[in-house]
Amino acid sequence: MSDLAARTRSGPGRLLIAVYAIFALSATARSAVQLAGHFDRAPLAYLLSAFAAVVYIVATVCLARGNRTGRRIATVSILVELVGVLTVGTLSLVDPAAFPDATVWSDYGQGYGYVPAVLPLLGLWWLRATARPE
């Protein structure tokens, strides 16, 4: 195992990866149920839930790999996550009619204790903090 991967997956990195994995599972399950059962009710919200699931899956896998390529892809996916949370969070407050059902990122992740708003900040911080040897 490379030193970079070991730093990425050590200590708080394990918790971060676990939280991303939980969000990957929950967003995937939520979007599957929404898309399969009620797609016509709120297609935009449900497709955004599916997109969030893919972002969380990519971030989880890449953080778990921890190598240079994985970290680069994780950084991009976490930045996409941050933009998504901020954009969807804002739009869901400004135009609630566009989001008749919540997504993971609606209201900045209110339904998930605002963890979706904080998680990308922690992910980016951790990638930066573990980028260089101590």
Side-chain angles (χ1 to χ4, degrees):
M1 169 169 44
S2 79
D3 195 36
L4 183 61
R7 286 193 311 269
T8 305
R9 297 187 297 229
S10 68
R14 288 182 185 203
L15 178 60
L16 183 68
I17 292 166
V19 172
Y20 266 101
I22 290 167
F23 271 81
L25 286 170
S26 66
T28 300
R30 178 183 197 140
S31 66
V33 169
Q34 290 173 328
L35 290 171
H38 322 290
F39 181 75
D40 57 327
R41 189 166 67 196
L44 175 63
Y46 300 157
L47 289 172
L48 285 170
S49 286
F51 179 72
V54 171
V55 170
Y56 286 126
I57 290 167
V58 170
T60 302
V61 169
C62 291
L63 285 169
R65 285 187 172 211
N67 60 17
R68 182 171 297 170
T69 301
R71 289 171 58 93
R72 285 182 182 151
I73 296 169
T75 299
V76 171
S77 66
I78 292 170
L79 285 169
V80 168
E81 173 193 2
L82 180 60
V83 170
V85 170
L86 295 175
T87 303
V88 173
T90 301
L91 290 174
S92 64
L93 292 174
V94 171
D95 186 11
F99 297 89
D101 281 352
T103 73
V104 176
W105 295 338
S106 294
D107 302 325
Y108 305 106
Q110 180 183 23
Y112 291 86
Y114 298 101
V115 173
V118 176
L119 191 58
L121 300 174
L122 291 174
L124 292 171
W125 170 80
W126 183 249
L127 287 168
R128 183 168 173 87
T130 59
R132 304 206 189 277
E134 296 175 2

